[in-house]
């Protein structure tokens, strides 16, 4: 029912060319869609922001304590997932976990001081979170739709890091599967799908370190009245392929069994339609706070048959950071 309501409201605002913000949860069970002119002060966002190297705070103010899932518990899930892969039920699965963290910085302070391309501060009666994502979901302009899947991360300080990750067979296979999945997804709602750039490197500020992230660029053509079908376009593409896996439907079912928590808005999307164009982001790099003041960071990574469990466990920990 939520999916139909989302589709109806997005189509309505798009048809009216009404500028609005949309925030959609991973499974579309929750959503927030509001005109920009009516946004409350508790909801803030920035899209496609360039990092400002002068907007930094001292490292001793940015300490974050991490309490990730114990390795033995992660191993249980990893091993079960490997069985699913061996049985041919999935080839790539983005396994995520929910980790408790401690930091003296409030979610409002994190939003104000964090350096990220896409930022969202969201608070209402039910949800309280901040997201500082490096990953765009889709961009629509001039009747074309673009998506930029990110898959593959390495510590930039490692000697020859760029060559290592680009030549890694496991990383190549994982990235190729995601690109193929998103090509197929765009083919459902658009025509002339093209991979414009395959596997390029972007540098991401991860607090006390720099990460190299591998991305690709895919485009397709939309009909001129695409704004009237915004709801149909976005719901057809969700959940995002980069944070689920392939084949998508079966992989989502496997994730429901393996993950012991509700992703909620984490790995959903948020974005803005300005009346003419649309930009949006996948909600990764995500911290939520419960009613008791406890903070939780949700993170994960893509698993294939070639995945090394120690590397994957370390990756989900490395992705718990504040990019100051």
């Amino acid at each position: 029912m939520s999916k139909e309501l989302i589709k109806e409201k997005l189509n309505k605002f798009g048809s009216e060319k009404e500028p609005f913000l949309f925030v959609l949860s991973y499974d579309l069970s929750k959503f927030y869609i509001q005109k920009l002119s009516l946004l409350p002060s508790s909801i803030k966002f920035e899209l496609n922001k360039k990092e400002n190297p002068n907007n930094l705070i001292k490292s001793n103010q940015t300490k974050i304590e991490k309490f990730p899932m114990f390795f033995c518990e992660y191993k249980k899930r990893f091993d079960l997932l490997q069985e699913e892969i061996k049985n041919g039920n999935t080839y790539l699965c983005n396994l995520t976990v929910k980790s408790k963290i401690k930091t003296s910085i409030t979610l409002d302070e994190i939003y104000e001081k964090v350096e990220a391309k896409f930022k969202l501060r969201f608070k209402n009666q039910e949800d309280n979170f901040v997201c500082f994502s490096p990953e765009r979901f889709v961009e629509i302009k001039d009747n074309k739709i673009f998506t930029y899947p990110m898959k593959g991360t390495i510590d930039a300080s490692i000697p020859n890091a760029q060559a290592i990750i680009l030549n890694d067979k496991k990383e190549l296979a994982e990235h190729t599967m995601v690109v193929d999945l998103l090509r197929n997804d765009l083919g459902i709602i658009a025509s002339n799908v093209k991979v414009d750039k395959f596997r390029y490197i972007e540098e991401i500020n991860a607090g006390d370190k720099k990460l190299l992230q591998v991305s690709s660029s895919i485009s397709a053509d939309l009909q001129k009245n695409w704004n009237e079908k915004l709801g149909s376009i976005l719901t057809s593409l969700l959940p995002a392929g980069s944070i689920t896996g392939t084949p998508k439907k079966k992989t989502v079912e496997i994730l429901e069994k393996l993950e012991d928590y509700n992703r909620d808005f984490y790995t959903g999307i948020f974005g803005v339609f300005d009346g003419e164009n649309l930009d949006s982001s996948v909600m990764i790099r995500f911290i939520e706070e419960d009613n008791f003041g406890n903070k939780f960071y949700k993170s994960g990574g893509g698993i294939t048959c070639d995945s090394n469990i120690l590397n994957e466990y370390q990756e989900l920990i490395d992705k718990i950071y504040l990019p100051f």
Side-chain angles (χ1 to χ4, degrees):
M1 188 62 180
S2 293
K3 183 174 181 178
E4 291 307 312
L5 285 173
I6 291 169
K7 192 184 298 185
E8 182 180 330
K9 198 161 189 177
L10 289 174
N11 286 343
K12 179 178 183 296
F13 278 8
S15 297
E16 296 171 351
K17 295 191 174 181
E18 175 70 52
F20 66 92
L21 170 75
F22 56 93
V23 187
L24 311 180
S25 71
Y26 165 71
D27 63 358
L28 298 180
S29 62
K30 292 183 177 182
F31 64 93
Y32 180 85
I33 301 170
Q34 183 59 276
K35 298 178 182 179
L36 295 186
S37 59
L38 298 177
L39 277 186
S41 60
S42 59
I43 299 176
K44 304 173 185 177
F45 67 89
E46 289 186 8
L47 294 171
N48 200 25
K49 180 179 182 290
K50 292 185 178 180
E51 287 189 8
N52 177 8
N54 298 318
N55 188 25
L56 304 176
I57 62 177
K58 296 178 182 178
S59 60
N60 62 2
Q61 293 178 291
T62 64
K63 184 177 180 182
I64 179 171
E65 292 184 75
K66 308 176 185 182
F67 304 91
M69 175 185 290
F70 289 121
F71 178 77
C72 59
E73 190 59 38
Y74 180 78
K75 186 176 185 301
K76 291 179 185 177
R77 290 166 171 72
F78 183 90
D79 290 345
L80 287 171
L81 181 49
Q82 288 299 324
E83 286 298 315
E84 296 283 1
I85 293 173
K86 287 178 183 177
N87 293 333
N89 296 324
T90 182
Y91 306 103
L92 166 65
C93 186
N94 201 79
L95 183 64
T96 72
V97 300
K98 179 179 178 179
S99 303
K100 187 173 182 179
I101 63 168
K102 286 186 179 179
T103 178
S104 60
I105 304 174
T106 67
L107 297 191
D108 286 325
E109 289 174 321
I110 290 172
Y111 175 82
E112 293 299 331
K113 296 172 179 176
V114 79
E115 287 293 323
K117 186 177 288 187
F118 298 94
K119 301 199 301 184
L120 175 66
R121 176 70 178 102
F122 188 91
K123 186 176 183 180
N124 61 12
Q125 292 182 337
E126 295 182 7
D127 299 281
N128 184 16
F129 65 85
V130 63
C131 173
F132 37 96
S133 177
E135 182 172 359
R136 177 178 267 122
F137 177 52
V138 296
E139 180 182 22
I140 303 177
K141 56 185 180 182
D142 300 326
N143 300 324
K144 290 181 72 73
I145 184 168
F146 304 84
T147 189
Y148 308 85
M150 300 179 78
K151 188 58 66 177
T153 305
I154 191 171
D155 188 332
S157 67
I158 295 173
N160 301 315
Q162 180 168 327
I164 289 172
I165 195 165
L166 289 179
N167 292 315
D168 187 302
K169 291 182 179 179
K170 177 262 180 184
E171 295 289 352
L172 172 60
E174 185 178 333
H175 193 95
T176 301
M177 282 187 275
V178 170
V179 168
D180 192 50
L181 172 62
L182 291 179
R183 282 177 60 250
N184 290 335
D185 281 353
L186 287 190
I188 297 172
I189 49 90
S191 59
N192 299 322
V193 181
K194 298 177 182 177
V195 178
D196 299 309
K197 196 171 182 181
F198 182 66
R199 297 188 84 214
Y200 58 89
I201 295 290
E202 294 180 295
E203 187 175 84
I204 296 171
N205 179 10
D208 59 351
K209 65 172 68 175
K210 297 286 186 180
L211 299 177
L212 299 184
Q213 183 83 54
V214 184
S215 299
S216 286
S217 173
I218 310 170
S219 68
D221 298 330
L222 292 172
Q223 295 179 346
K224 290 184 178 180
N225 65 336
W226 61 266
N227 57 293
E228 300 171 9
K229 305 174 182 179
L230 263 183
S232 304
I233 290 170
L234 291 176
T235 55
S236 294
L237 297 174
L238 293 174
S242 63
I243 47 76
T244 50
T246 184
K248 187 189 286 189
K249 184 177 179 180
K250 185 62 180 179
T251 301
V252 168
E253 293 174 4
I254 292 169
L255 288 171
E256 288 177 359
K257 294 188 295 182
L258 294 181
E259 295 182 345
D260 63 344
Y261 76 101
N262 192 336
R263 289 192 183 188
D264 279 336
F265 282 104
Y266 170 60
T267 65
I269 66 167
F270 83 93
V272 166
F273 174 66
D274 65 7
E276 294 184 3
N277 305 306
L278 179 142
D279 203 356
S280 61
S281 173
V282 182
M283 288 191 282
I284 55 175
R285 312 300 189 265
F286 185 101
I287 304 174
E288 67 181 12
E289 185 173 311
D290 65 18
N291 294 330
F292 304 99
N294 298 307
K295 295 184 179 72
F296 299 91
Y297 203 121
K298 298 175 179 178
S299 63
I303 310 296
T304 69
C305 61
D306 297 319
S307 292
N308 178 290
I309 187 171
L310 294 176
N311 292 344
E312 297 298 342
Y313 183 69
Q314 187 59 48
E315 181 177 335
L316 72 88
I317 296 173
D318 286 345
K319 285 180 177 175
I320 301 174
Y321 65 82
L322 296 175
F324 293 142

